[in-house]
Amino acid sequence: MARVSQAHLDARRRQILDAAALCFARNGFHATSMQDVLKEADLSAGAVYRYFSGKEELIAAIVGEVLGEVHAAFEAAARQSPPPPPDQLAAAVLSRALALRAGLTLDGVPAFPRLVVQVWSEIPRNESLAAVLTEGYDAVRAAWGRIVEAYQEAGIMRPDIAPDHVARTMIAAVLGFIAQQSLFGPAPVEVLRDGLQALMSMPLPQSDTPSDPQSDPQSDTGTDHSSVNLVETQSN
């Protein structure tokens, strides 16, 4: 009996994961049956079950793969001195994640954003999937934290901001952008990049003397008017 090459095994696994991703994006996790996956992949039950025992393993593998790619990209950025600016870095990593799944479409529209939202909806009732997502999120968040520390050490980001606060904000921006694509249709990643760049370019408020709260209509007792200019390098 001829030995099956690793390349063949990897290609078959990819075929199954892509078919499952399309089914989950189209119908959701609970409404998708293994028979749906078999039909989408155009494979026999034996061929699919050789790789995955069922839907739980399929969705966990899809989520783990995506988060692993994202984590690796941010870890690589954290090793640069300094790392790329946040707008460029977030856009580059998201662009790569979308490009790797460009062939997955539903009615001509990229399926990946819709898949992400479907995964979120499954988290509250699926403890094993929640554990996979939490582990991946924590790894990405930690990598972003190291990136922020590198910005601060290089003197290009304010040192008084907790790195984890920036990490959470950047992750929220990307996830929010993905949610918008799922809800309202595709948008180029340049939209996210340009929006972040514009926020980063806001100048520090200049004032030589403390303003009088009663004479300044924009002054509000207890309000922090400190700069939102986190990165002062010029992004292209």
Side-chain angles (χ1 to χ4, degrees):
M1 183 175 179
R3 183 178 179 181
V4 179
S5 69
Q6 186 61 48
H8 174 82
L9 294 173
D10 292 344
R12 182 56 54 86
R13 186 176 187 275
R14 173 84 273 141
Q15 180 181 355
I16 297 168
L17 286 175
D18 287 349
L22 281 174
C23 290
F24 295 147
R26 182 188 298 119
N27 301 318
F29 183 77
H30 281 280
T32 295
S33 66
M34 282 303 292
Q35 191 61 40
D36 294 329
V37 176
L38 301 180
K39 183 178 179 180
E40 186 71 42
D42 194 23
L43 293 172
S44 67
V48 172
Y49 284 111
R50 176 180 181 180
Y51 295 85
F52 302 99
S53 63
K55 293 193 302 180
E56 294 279 351
E57 282 194 5
L58 280 167
I59 192 66
I62 292 169
V63 171
E65 180 181 65
V66 173
L67 289 173
E69 294 168 0
V70 172
H71 176 230
F74 286 130
E75 285 289 357
R79 291 191 291 271
Q80 298 182 44
S81 182
D87 57 327
Q88 296 181 10
L89 179 56
V93 173
L94 180 56
S95 292
R96 185 173 185 274
L98 293 171
L100 288 173
R101 293 157 185 84
L104 300 181
T105 61
L106 294 173
D107 299 324
V109 176
F112 180 68
R114 188 169 172 177
L115 173 64
V116 171
V117 173
Q118 293 284 13
V119 169
W120 293 344
S121 68
E122 181 62 18
I123 296 303
R125 53 178 172 258
N126 190 322
E127 291 185 2
S128 60
L129 181 58
V132 172
L133 189 64
T134 299
E135 180 181 0
Y137 170 78
D138 288 345
V140 171
R141 180 175 149 197
W144 254 118
R146 286 187 285 275
I147 291 169
V148 174
E149 290 172 352
Y151 292 148
Q152 293 172 332
E153 290 172 2
I156 57 177
M157 180 174 282
R158 284 174 44 181
D160 59 323
I161 305 295
D164 187 57
H165 292 186
V166 182
R168 285 174 173 267
T169 299
M170 293 304 303
I171 293 172
V174 173
L175 294 181
F177 187 72
I178 292 173
Q180 286 184 36
Q181 293 199 48
S182 175
L183 295 171
F184 308 118
V189 175
E190 288 74 18
V191 172
L192 174 66
R193 182 201 64 196
D194 293 349
L196 290 173
Q197 183 177 355
L199 291 172
M200 288 159 47
S201 69
M202 294 178 68
L204 286 166
Q206 300 296 324
S207 177
D208 294 330
T209 58
S211 60
D212 182 355
Q214 295 181 347
S215 63
D216 184 358
Q218 293 183 346
S219 178
D220 193 7
T221 303
T223 300
D224 180 8
H225 293 287
S226 59
S227 169
V228 296
N229 182 14
L230 296 181
V231 178
E232 299 176 1
T233 53
Q234 182 67 35
S235 300
N236 296 322

